[in-house]
Each structure stands twice: as structure tokens, then as C-alpha cells.
Amino acid sequence: MRIPESSERCPVVVTIHGGFWKSKYGLEEIDRLDEDLVRRGYATWNIEYRRVGENGGGWAGTFHDVVDAVNHLSQIDEHFPLDLSRVVILGHSAGGHLALWMASRISKIQRDEMGSPLLIPIQGVISLAGVSDLQKMWKIHVKKGISSPVASFIGGTPKEVPDRYRLASPIELLPLNIEQILVHGDLDCDVPVELSVEYHRRAIELGDKVNLVVIPGAEHFKIIDPLSSAWGSVTDSLETLLWRKSRSRP
């Protein structure tokens, strides 16, 4: 948890790191991103989760962990100047997948095999080069001739465990009925921009409020670099979701 110097209650950005859900990548990946957001007046809650290669990581422990981490905000709210009426979930790459997936937990009533419902009301989700379609990402890896981290994460291929892909892939869970912003660089070789383009198209068709921001000349990590020209699109997206809505309240 990082808190701005101001003592006033501040909006919260839950940040979720990427790394294709692998154990060797941790939350330090987005430390600089969080530090920049704190300087802009946001509290950041950089959450960790069990990953593939760790006991309980992957299906379905990772899903349980991220929901529990966000719900934990209600238990620490009294200790920090947090405004839990203004919470946004922001994730990069595999973290973008988890951020979008988590939005589908808002409508759940009771715990199921994917974990608890999301109890913290959120204003929206920002996916930074998110893996919004697990099956398509798996196909891209297969076409490249590499072992897909998607299959390792889910516990099988789409043919072997189709129900898991339907339960875990954001594009299969649309409409999410919450505002979403997708930010993606058009030079991304790790998670091709076509995933966000297709997700955006389908979400709009199903009536979701989704905005797609494609950044020319940006690759996978440029959009989480606070020193890059692409970073402005991310901070603008946060203002869209948080400050605009707070100003519109009666």
C-alpha cells in the first residue's frame, strides 16, 4: 500500500503486475508505476498472487488470491485515508487479464470454484496490454511453436479443459456491465493488439461501455513506463474513470 502525503481520503488504484502468471515475475514490475500514481494523488494497492510454479498458483488459486486481495481493502480502510467509493483496478498483461476477469465477480452472490465474489465496488477497469482472450493467446503461442504459459496457468489446452477457458477468459464473460478502458501499443509482440481490438468490438456489441486506446509505436512495456510518452494515456484513463465521476456526483 502506498499513500499520498495528503491526509484527505483519496481514490484507490489496485495494480496487478503481469509476467504471464509465472512465479519469476513479481509485483516489483510496477513499483515505478505505483510511485508515479501516488505523486498524482492516488493510493495504490499493489497486490501479489500465487503464480505458476508456486504451491497453489494457477488454476484456481491465482483467481482466489486477487479477489481476496481487493476485498481486503474493507478490512484496512480504517487505518488509511482511502475512499473506497472510488476504486479502479489496473492490470498489465497477465494482470490485465486478472483485472478484467475480476470485474465479472461483482455480480456473483456466493463463493464458487473461482473464489469469493468481489465485495468492493469498483468504478472501472483499465487493462494495459491485457490478455483478454485466453484461447486466442494460446493459439498465438502454438502458432509460434512455443509452449503456451496460458495452458500452464489454466491447467490444459482449450480442448482439454474448455470449461475452464469459458470461466476464466474475459472475452467469454462479456458483458461485464462496468466501464472498461483498454490501452495497447500497436507494436506489442508479447500480447498482440488484436486481442484488445477484438475484445473491444465484442464488448461494444454486447452493450458494455468500453474505450480502446491504441498507442502508435509503443511496445509491451512502454505503457507501464512513467517516463514514456505513452504513460499519459494511462493517467488520462484514470482521470476519466475517477475524477470525472466524483465531480458528477450530487
Side-chain angles (χ1 to χ4, degrees):
M1 174 69 73
R2 291 178 170 89
I3 304 289
E5 291 183 3
S6 171
S7 60
E8 295 181 1
R9 289 194 173 272
C10 50
V12 183
V13 183
V14 178
T15 55
I16 313 177
H17 72 84
F20 275 123
W21 314 279
K22 297 179 181 179
S23 60
K24 64 180 180 179
Y25 302 108
L27 48 73
E28 65 279 354
E29 175 198 35
I30 49 177
D31 277 345
R32 288 197 304 155
L33 178 156
D34 282 1
E35 290 165 358
D36 183 84
L37 292 180
V38 170
R39 285 192 291 269
R40 296 173 184 270
Y42 302 98
T44 61
W45 182 229
N46 189 2
I47 65 174
E48 190 55 284
Y49 49 91
R50 288 171 291 176
R51 288 144 284 153
V52 176
E54 298 176 328
N55 186 33
W59 183 274
T62 295
F63 297 94
H64 292 221
D65 291 348
V66 292
V67 172
D68 290 346
V70 176
N71 285 343
H72 190 65
L73 284 170
S74 64
Q75 299 181 40
I76 63 174
D77 177 36
E78 62 185 43
H79 303 295
F80 300 99
L82 307 177
D83 183 353
L84 294 190
S85 70
R86 292 188 291 161
V87 178
V88 162
I89 301 178
L90 178 152
H92 174 243
S93 194
H97 157 260
L98 292 170
L100 290 169
W101 172 82
M102 238 192 299
S104 73
R105 303 300 296 175
I106 297 173
S107 60
K108 304 295 180 182
I109 299 174
Q110 59 188 9
R111 186 181 180 91
D112 58 24
E113 64 179 309
M114 302 293 282
S116 303
L118 190 64
L119 303 177
I120 298 294
I122 61 174
Q123 295 289 296
V125 175
I126 298 177
S127 168
L128 306 179
V131 184
S132 53
D133 186 335
L134 293 180
Q135 185 165 328
K136 191 165 190 174
M137 192 75 254
W138 175 82
K139 288 179 179 178
I140 290 171
H141 289 146
V142 170
K143 190 174 181 179
K144 289 182 177 180
I146 63 176
S147 178
S148 178
V150 178
S152 299
F153 172 55
I154 295 298
T157 68
K159 185 175 181 179
E160 293 167 339
V161 287
D163 289 343
R164 291 187 179 185
Y165 280 79
R166 283 193 290 271
L167 289 170
S169 187
I171 200 168
E172 300 291 342
L173 301 170
L174 291 169
L176 299 182
N177 299 312
I178 191 168
E179 189 167 355
Q180 305 150 62
I181 300 178
L182 317 172
V183 183
H184 218 127
D186 67 352
L187 296 184
D188 196 323
C189 296
D190 296 279
V191 181
V193 68
E194 63 189 83
L195 267 71
S196 286
V197 171
E198 176 57 25
Y199 178 92
H200 175 258
R201 183 194 66 77
R202 188 179 300 187
I204 293 296
E205 284 183 353
L206 293 173
D208 263 355
K209 186 175 183 180
V210 186
N211 186 33
L212 173 63
V213 181
V214 177
I215 303 177
E219 46 78 38
H220 191 61
F221 294 98
K222 189 69 71 176
I223 57 178
I224 60 169
D225 180 0
L227 299 179
S228 75
S229 58
W231 180 238
S233 295
V234 180
T235 56
D236 288 349
S237 297
L238 270 175
E239 291 211 10
T240 296
L241 289 177
L242 288 172
W243 297 115
R244 182 192 67 195
K245 289 191 175 183
S246 67
R247 286 194 296 266
S248 66
R249 289 179 185 163

